Amino acid sequence: MSTSDASAPVIRLNNVKKFYGSFQALDDISLDVAAGERMVICGPSGSGKSTLIRCVNQLETHDAGQVIVNGIDVGKNRKALREVRTNVGMVFQQFNLFPHLTVLENLTLGPMRARKLSKDKAVELARHYLERVRIPEQADKYPSQLSGGQQQRVAIARSLCMEPKVMLFDEPTSALDPEMISEVLDVMVELAESGMTMMVVTHEMGFAKKVADTMVFMDEGKIVEQSTPAEFFSNPKTERGRLFLQQILQH
Amino acid sequence: MASISRMRWATFALIAVAVFLTGCSDQLQWYVVSPATETGRTNLMFMLGGLKYTLLLSITAIIISIIIGLLVALPGISKNPFARGFNRVYVEVVRSVPLLVLILWVYYGLPIMLGIAINVFWAGVVALALSDSAFEAEIFRAGIQSVDRGQIEASDSLGLGYFDRMRYVVLPQALRRVLPPLGNQLVYMLKMSSLVSVIGMEELTRRANELVTAEYRPLETYTVLILEYLVLILLVSAGVRWLERRLAVKDGN
């Protein structure tokens, strides 16, 4: 289903627009994410960064422009959407684990139902990724029995079990108690170092400095700045970028 | 076991009332339903003979109504306005027909319309199931809509299709939440099955009516009938509570 051209971007957005009624959430967004690229998207709340990332796997549908994932135009090709989604992992602010299933069942559901893996294979995969997010001993518990940080790590493992080509993170640490943020970020840093293509919406600027290849700064539905973290943090090109950094880094 | 002790108290209270009534009037002839006399035993067995059909009727009807209810609820949460329209029309129309009227219509009317014979049992099942399915559909719709939007987004992001999403993610959670109102409907169904006696179904109420005609002892007979329903329904609610607790434990909270 995907193009064989290795240099083609994994994700390409062309002039994407999105409206909620008369409010324009995304205003002519164009960007490319290359294989292995780690992109961090930041900006004030309401700037459209969550909407943008949710358009990639079409949890939000865009109103104009193109969203192309692995060479497939997901706006036009609704039939291929499920296939695309199995290749795009997503981690949510509120974890969205399935509360009625054990950790292991949370991890095996997608591989068994969407990838049609056998139960043995899915369990093997699940145990492997639980090991990787460092909570193998919690496999038989229910999500409500875990801390927020553990739940988010389970959610990351659940996405990884689909063996996706890209991982999307939508404010993965915003709902966490401060002492649990680092355990989740550690897992994300490791994931970045393993070469995973990542798009991350976050306010964790320490994480951004550490792993990002590209910083995207959004405001009012537009991409205001797109540069390397070194450039963005030391010398933002726009006044709005400077102001945002001042507000977020002053403490 | 709160429901067991409640059941015990309710039974005691009714027996106490019955004994009191016996004491203050020689008009009462408890022998007609007393297990201590030969006639009483025969009559009691005759009355209990209706239990089988009350249960069979209610259980068959509730199973069918749950299936229809679910099939009607799903279009109710669809994005398609025609699907939602179907759900609304079905619920509003079916819900507004009185059950007794529906029973009469299904038993006397439906055979003429379809040109088929329908026996008393199936007429009862169809009427009860149809009538209940509208309520069932509303219960399921509420249950499904109460499942957090994030659950659907998580299923979508894993590439699950509509069927898998419903089967493995949404319905298991919705079902847990609708268990109390479903239990309510089961109790309601058990009681409403008594109406099927009007078309001659030999269930508990019909048997009691027949005994009254034979023995002319309405107070004694109907008191026993009330006790029969009481015990049946207390057992059902204890069962529903047990199920609720079991599912809650499995959830780990």
Side-chain angles (χ1 to χ4, degrees), chain A residues 30-62:
Chain A
S30 295
L31 61 76
D32 284 357
V33 182
E37 183 173 352
R38 279 100 62 167
M39 177 181 283
V40 168
I41 303 165
C42 62
S45 55
S47 61
K49 48 196 196 303
S50 280
T51 308
L52 170 68
I53 203 169
R54 287 159 61 86
C55 276
V56 173
N57 63 352
Q58 294 286 291
L59 291 183
E60 305 280 353
T61 51
H62 52 286

Side-chain angles (χ1 to χ4, degrees), chain B residues 195-251:
Chain B
L195 285 174
V196 186
S197 63
V198 300
I199 55 171
M201 181 83 224
E202 289 279 332
E203 43 66 72
L204 289 174
T205 306
R206 177 78 178 192
R207 284 287 169 104
N209 280 337
E210 287 173 2
L211 191 62
V212 169
T213 322
E215 298 273 8
Y216 306 111
R217 309 287 345 161
L219 176 56
E220 297 83 347
T221 308
Y222 288 134
T223 306
V224 171
L225 181 60
I226 287 176
L227 280 174
E228 287 177 316
Y229 280 112
L230 181 70
V231 170
L232 210 55
I233 282 159
L234 288 177
L235 283 174
V236 167
S237 42
V240 171
R241 271 166 200 283
W242 174 81
L243 203 61
E244 266 178 62
R245 263 197 314 276
R246 227 185 71 111
L247 289 176
V249 168
K250 212 188 143 222
D251 236 359

Side-chain angles (χ1 to χ4, degrees), chain A residues 118-179:
Chain A
S118 71
K119 184 166 185 201
D120 289 346
K121 191 88 186 55
V123 169
E124 194 188 312
L125 208 60
R127 297 224 182 262
H128 168 73
Y129 283 109
L130 278 181
E131 197 82 49
R132 209 160 136 189
V133 300
R134 294 192 285 275
I135 35 175
E137 71 285 358
Q138 312 287 2
D140 297 316
K141 289 197 178 164
Y142 286 91
S144 60
Q145 295 167 311
L146 305 181
S147 73
Q150 290 173 325
Q151 289 190 46
Q152 192 59 300
R153 283 186 284 152
V154 170
I156 293 172
R158 177 175 68 178
S159 287
L160 290 176
C161 279
M162 297 300 289
E163 308 200 293
K165 294 195 174 72
V166 196
M167 285 285 283
L168 310 175
F169 292 83
D170 188 3
E171 305 207 28
T173 57
S174 299
L176 293 175
D177 290 335
E179 75 271 20

Side-chain angles (χ1 to χ4, degrees), chain B residues 130-152:
Chain B
L130 268 184
S131 163
D132 197 52
S133 66
F135 296 93
E136 223 65 78
E138 286 296 86
I139 290 173
F140 279 123
R141 189 169 64 87
I144 292 169
Q145 282 175 335
S146 79
V147 174
D148 181 42
R149 169 112 211 108
Q151 295 289 304
I152 291 160

Side-chain angles (χ1 to χ4, degrees), chain A:
Chain A
M1 299 292 288
S2 57
T3 52
S4 51
D5 186 359
S7 64
V10 181
I11 298 168
R12 163 164 280 177
L13 272 64
N14 280 336
N15 310 102
V16 171
K17 291 177 188 167
K18 167 81 184 170
F19 296 87
Y20 295 110
S22 61
F23 175 74
Q24 187 163 10
L26 294 179
D27 187 359
D28 214 20
I29 299 283
S30 295
L31 61 76
D32 284 357
V33 182
E37 183 173 352
R38 279 100 62 167
M39 177 181 283
V40 168
I41 303 165
C42 62
S45 55
S47 61
K49 48 196 196 303
S50 280
T51 308
L52 170 68
I53 203 169
R54 287 159 61 86
C55 276
V56 173
N57 63 352
Q58 294 286 291
L59 291 183
E60 305 280 353
T61 51
H62 52 286
D63 297 311
Q66 286 175 303
V67 176
I68 297 164
V69 182
N70 290 326
I72 297 167
D73 186 337
V74 291
K76 285 211 182 79
N77 200 344
R78 305 306 288 182
K79 283 203 181 106
L81 183 57
R82 266 176 72 186
E83 169 81 19
V84 167
R85 281 171 169 170
T86 62
N87 287 319
V88 179
M90 182 152 204
V91 175
F92 300 89
Q93 182 176 355
Q94 300 294 340
F95 329 137
N96 295 348
L97 292 174
F98 305 129
H100 60 298
L101 300 179
T102 63
V103 166
L104 198 66
E105 288 166 341
N106 263 280
L107 267 59
T108 54
L109 181 62
M112 283 169 69
R113 301 306 309 177
R115 290 179 65 200
K116 308 288 178 207
L117 293 187
S118 71
K119 184 166 185 201
D120 289 346
K121 191 88 186 55
V123 169
E124 194 188 312
L125 208 60
R127 297 224 182 262
H128 168 73
Y129 283 109
L130 278 181
E131 197 82 49
R132 209 160 136 189
V133 300
R134 294 192 285 275
I135 35 175
E137 71 285 358
Q138 312 287 2
D140 297 316
K141 289 197 178 164
Y142 286 91
S144 60
Q145 295 167 311
L146 305 181
S147 73
Q150 290 173 325
Q151 289 190 46
Q152 192 59 300
R153 283 186 284 152
V154 170
I156 293 172
R158 177 175 68 178
S159 287
L160 290 176
C161 279
M162 297 300 289
E163 308 200 293
K165 294 195 174 72
V166 196
M167 285 285 283
L168 310 175
F169 292 83
D170 188 3
E171 305 207 28
T173 57
S174 299
L176 293 175
D177 290 335
E179 75 271 20
M180 289 169 185
I181 290 176
S182 68
E183 65 188 67
V184 172
L185 290 180
D186 287 347
V187 167
M188 288 170 63
V189 169
E190 268 181 38
L191 191 60
E193 284 164 356
S194 76
M196 174 65 76
T197 310
M198 292 164 78
M199 244 177 131
V200 185
V201 172
T202 187
H203 295 294
E204 295 296 333
M205 291 302 129
F207 171 82
K209 279 179 192 161
K210 203 163 178 180
V211 306
D213 299 310
T214 315
M215 286 300 298
V216 170
F217 172 64
M218 288 184 70
D219 195 17
E220 292 175 345
K222 291 189 190 70
I223 293 179
V224 179
E225 280 196 50
Q226 181 166 356
S227 54
T228 64
E231 231 174 80
F232 179 67
F233 287 111
S234 60
N235 188 22
K237 279 174 282 194
T238 61
E239 184 54 36
R240 273 185 291 181
R242 220 185 327 275
L243 205 65
F244 175 75
L245 281 176
Q246 245 172 38
Q247 283 165 339
I248 207 163
L249 297 175
Q250 69 186 342
H251 297 293

Side-chain angles (χ1 to χ4, degrees), chain B residues 17 65 164 251:
Chain B
V17 170
S65 76
D164 284 339
D251 236 359

